[in-house]
Amino acid sequence: MTIDRKKLVDLLIEKTDLSQEEVEIQLDQLIERILDAAERGKALEIKEFGLFFFDQEGDLKFEPSEELSTEISFKYAGMKPVELKPERNTAIPDDDDPAGSISAADDVIVVPKSDRKSPSLNPKKSPETKPASASASASASKIRQPIRQKKDRSGVWALLAFFIVLIIGAIIYFNRPSTSVTDTSVSVSEPSSQESDIQNYPEPQDNTETEIENNDTSTEIVEETYISEGSDEEQNQEVSVPIQNQIYGLTGEFAESVNTGYSIVVYSLYNDFRAEEVAEELRADGYRVKITTRVVDGLDVYRISLGLFESIPDAQAAAETLPEPFNENNFIQRIQL
Amino acid sequence: MDTVFIKAFKEILREQLVEKNSVDIDGFGTFEVIHYEQHQKRYSNGKVVMMPPKDILEFKSNIKVSNDN
């Protein structure tokens, strides 16, 4: 919405109880004063609002005061850049390039494009015979290494994730054999007992009684079926619990054990009661909701965030799926308890 | 100039700008809040950071003075 001069005058009349003429005169005087001061090469400051001045090109500029800037960007106040990747300085380049490690790391940035065309340069071969090319090759290798390093790192993370999944899979798998064994033993009497389901629990007792008369071994089987059914349910629960309580995602509940990850902030509020109310509403919608507190200008700010994600891209992708206005009006913060 | 007027002027502009409304004063300029999305930034040392989003107040004016003096 745009407030034009007429609306502004109306609002000023409402606020000051001055007449329209007076307000118009005062507004013109203010503008004149700003321009007059600026034209004289001075800046005119309206305290707690900002500074008007002419820049070197002669354009009228305005620099908002810190208070006004903070107030306008209140929602994001106190936010700091989040580092996404570690520094380049690692032990890997030293292992690959013992001779080249002498060259200054800062100079590396200048060289890259010309030297990238000669990827076959090997600093290990003749570092002493060709000092100029050696330093160039050393720098070239130093430039390339971080790129490889990044890929390696992502590969390592992927492998790590893969192994974790494998271990979890193995744990689930090794917990299952007991069910599969019982399943095989159950398979004989399964049709009758499973069709009856839980509602027909009393019936099997009758069956056992009748079967006792016939054969002792068959009763054992029948008893096993009920034992195995029970254990099967338990195991199903065991399997389904981690799925329901997945650590990451937009919906569900926050696992207290997880203290790192990324979340989508959709509200920043001063009032903790209001924050709790809003959080409850979002929880009712099935979202994984968390309230985090930040101190901004000495005041507690309650940020309500949705979901928990392993990485920023995951969080960004999830943020796009949020309903309006959250899908456009949000930011991602790192959760650290 | 009336201090009551100045105070009211500041308050009204602040209220409107906090609500992301732009204020266009004819013959003077336009105050407007611009939203900047979060974005990735790479420093010269290779560090990559996610810059937080922010709302910035911008003032656009057609008033220009010559620098002949």
Side-chain angles (χ1 to χ4, degrees):
Chain A
M1 196 170 111
T2 304
I3 307 296
D4 57 12
R5 190 184 171 108
K6 190 177 171 298
K7 275 184 197 169
L8 179 64
V9 169
D10 290 341
L11 289 167
L12 285 164
I13 292 166
E14 202 178 298
K15 198 122 190 164
T16 57
D17 292 332
L18 295 170
S19 69
Q20 186 172 351
E21 270 183 35
E22 282 173 319
V23 167
E24 292 269 8
I25 291 166
Q26 293 277 352
L27 187 58
D28 286 337
Q29 273 183 4
L30 177 65
I31 293 167
E32 268 175 38
R33 207 165 149 183
I34 290 167
L35 295 178
D36 186 46
E39 276 171 7
R40 279 188 283 121
K42 292 179 181 175
L44 188 123
E45 185 182 5
I46 300 176
K47 209 177 170 187
E48 293 177 355
F49 185 71
L51 199 71
F52 290 93
F53 61 95
F54 279 110
D55 66 0
Q56 287 183 337
E57 290 165 5
D59 294 320
L60 181 62
K61 296 284 175 189
F62 171 71
E63 198 180 295
S65 68
E66 216 173 298
E67 294 94 334
L68 185 61
S69 291
T70 308
E71 206 164 344
I72 282 167
S73 196
F74 162 76
K75 194 174 172 184
Y76 313 113
M79 285 189 73
K80 287 176 183 171
V82 179
E83 190 177 340
L84 297 180
K85 289 175 186 173
E87 287 180 25
R88 301 170 77 191
N89 206 4
T90 63
I92 299 165
D94 294 332
D95 295 338
D96 289 348
D97 185 23
S101 61
I102 304 157
S103 63
D106 293 339
D107 296 339
V108 172
I109 301 156
V110 186
V111 189
K113 284 184 182 172
S114 59
D115 282 344
R116 274 187 186 177
K117 289 173 185 173
S118 56
S120 61
L121 286 173
N122 188 355
K124 285 180 182 175
K125 283 187 177 176
S126 58
E128 291 165 13
T129 53
K130 293 179 182 178
S133 64
S135 66
S137 64
S139 60
S141 66
K142 276 214 165 193
I143 295 153
R144 283 194 295 276
Q145 277 161 5
I147 296 162
R148 258 188 285 144
Q149 202 180 317
K150 279 181 223 160
K151 285 177 184 172
D152 287 349
R153 285 228 155 190
S154 62
V156 168
W157 284 115
L159 263 175
L160 201 68
F162 177 69
F163 279 120
I164 290 167
V165 169
L166 260 182
I167 290 163
I168 292 166
I171 290 165
I172 293 165
Y173 180 78
F174 284 115
N175 282 342
R176 280 215 163 188
S178 59
T179 60
S180 61
V181 170
T182 51
D183 280 348
T184 51
S185 64
V186 168
S187 60
V188 182
S189 56
E190 219 171 8
S192 61
S193 62
Q194 279 201 341
E195 277 171 18
S196 61
D197 278 346
I198 303 159
Q199 294 169 348
N200 296 333
Y201 263 122
E203 280 181 17
Q205 287 175 353
D206 296 335
N207 288 340
T208 53
E209 282 172 12
T210 52
E211 283 173 21
I212 286 164
E213 290 170 12
N214 297 331
N215 192 350
D216 286 348
T217 54
S218 63
T219 56
E220 283 171 15
I221 294 164
V222 173
E223 281 168 5
E224 272 178 20
T225 62
Y226 293 109
I227 292 161
S228 66
E229 272 186 1
S231 61
D232 217 14
E233 280 176 20
E234 283 168 16
Q235 279 157 1
N236 283 341
Q237 279 175 358
E238 279 173 20
V239 173
S240 61
V241 163
I243 296 163
Q244 286 169 358
N245 293 339
Q246 275 178 337
I247 295 166
Y248 298 108
L250 195 57
T251 55
E253 288 183 4
F254 263 95
E256 292 301 323
S257 58
V258 180
N259 65 357
T260 184
Y262 298 91
S263 192
I264 307 161
V265 177
V266 292
Y267 283 104
S268 293
L269 301 166
Y270 270 130
N271 188 321
D272 57 338
F273 293 112
R274 177 71 187 133
E276 275 298 338
E277 276 176 20
V278 173
E280 276 307 314
E281 284 170 18
L282 290 165
R283 278 193 196 104
D285 292 341
Y287 290 113
R288 201 186 292 263
V289 183
K290 185 150 196 76
I291 302 174
T292 49
T293 314
R294 295 277 187 284
V295 178
V296 178
D297 293 338
L299 292 169
D300 286 337
V301 176
Y302 300 91
R303 284 183 180 158
I304 299 169
S305 58
L306 303 181
L308 181 65
F309 305 94
E310 205 168 4
S311 66
I312 289 177
D314 289 348
Q316 283 175 322
E320 285 170 14
T321 66
L322 288 171
E324 284 186 358
F326 304 139
N327 58 348
E328 289 179 352
N329 202 4
N330 65 64
F331 63 88
I332 292 157
Q333 74 171 4
R334 184 187 277 173
I335 298 278
Q336 280 182 321
L337 298 177
Chain B
M1 201 181 304
D2 194 351
T3 51
V4 177
F5 172 81
I6 295 286
K7 200 178 169 190
F9 178 80
K10 284 194 295 187
E11 279 176 14
I12 287 167
L13 257 72
R14 183 179 286 127
E15 282 166 12
Q16 296 303 325
L17 294 169
V18 165
E19 287 176 23
K20 316 300 177 210
N21 294 334
S22 56
V23 179
D24 182 15
I25 303 172
D26 194 28
F28 183 59
T30 307
F31 296 91
E32 199 175 2
V33 176
I34 308 288
H35 176 72
Y36 290 87
E37 292 285 351
Q38 61 182 0
H39 60 279
Q40 287 189 17
K41 185 177 178 182
R42 181 186 289 271
Y43 291 112
S44 58
N45 63 0
K47 218 184 244 186
V48 181
V49 294
M50 178 66 85
M51 300 299 288
K54 56 186 172 183
D55 290 333
I56 286 182
L57 173 59
E58 288 188 3
F59 176 71
K60 289 167 190 167
S61 175
N62 291 328
I63 297 171
K64 203 174 169 85
V65 289
S66 62
N67 287 327
D68 297 340
N69 300 332

